[in-house]
Amino acid sequence: MIDDLLAELGEQLEVQRVTLRLPAEDSVFPIAYEWCAPSVHSIRDTPRLDMSKQPVVLKMVGGASQVVEDDCATASPDPVYHEMRELFGGLQAQIVTALRDDDGEIVGLLSVHDLTAPRTWSDAEQAWARETADEIRGLLG
């Protein structure tokens, strides 16, 4: 069911990748589920980055419910962030949405990746990501 939701979101938003990261004891938010458009490589087995130092994760841990980046090339000056962008296939634009439990703890991160060009994410696209995150949150229990 989660795979279907990721595919539907990816196709609706005409992006190249959608991932769901879940907490794990041995890693900070590894990819648990991933949908990729045809001819797009998976990042599930990409060399592990320390996600705890990534600017988007820090924003989420700081309480953000969604981070929207229209142009990832200018979103952060952090070199670790740009290393991640390159490892992820030249990430150009993204929406990252937190899934939180009733206590406000992060139980997942839903990421939508456009690898083709910067783009201005519409309110409707941001809402689709949020609604999908809410659906997945319900499935996770």
Side-chain angles (χ1 to χ4, degrees):
M1 185 72 150
I2 291 175
D3 289 322
D4 293 339
L5 289 170
L6 298 186
E8 182 180 345
L9 181 63
E11 291 164 3
Q12 281 181 340
L13 298 185
E14 297 179 350
V15 296
Q16 294 71 51
R17 183 184 301 116
V18 181
T19 66
L20 176 63
R21 293 175 174 276
L22 299 175
E25 297 210 8
D26 63 339
S27 182
V28 176
F29 298 111
I31 296 171
Y33 295 88
E34 178 184 51
W35 171 86
C36 295
S39 79
V40 171
H41 77 279
S42 170
I43 59 172
R44 189 176 283 192
D45 297 324
T46 298
R48 299 244 182 220
L49 295 169
D50 184 353
M51 294 305 288
S52 69
K53 292 179 173 42
Q54 287 293 330
V56 172
V57 172
L58 294 173
K59 289 176 185 176
M60 293 293 178
V61 170
S65 65
Q66 191 172 62
V67 174
V68 178
E69 295 179 340
D70 296 333
D71 184 356
C72 291
T74 62
S76 172
D78 187 327
V80 175
Y81 174 80
H82 292 286
E83 177 187 358
M84 179 264 319
R85 286 184 55 237
E86 289 309 309
L87 285 172
F88 288 6
L91 184 60
Q92 299 293 313
Q94 68 175 338
I95 301 173
V96 182
T97 307
L99 290 71
R100 296 185 185 274
D101 65 16
D102 293 338
D103 295 327
E105 295 296 316
I106 298 173
V107 296
L109 295 173
L110 176 68
S111 299
V112 175
H113 296 167
D114 192 320
L115 306 179
T116 61
R119 70 191 272 176
T120 301
W121 297 100
S122 71
D123 291 343
E125 290 170 323
Q126 293 173 51
W128 281 330
R130 172 82 268 151
E131 290 165 9
T132 302
D134 291 344
E135 285 184 65
I136 293 169
R137 171 67 183 95
L139 292 172
L140 294 175

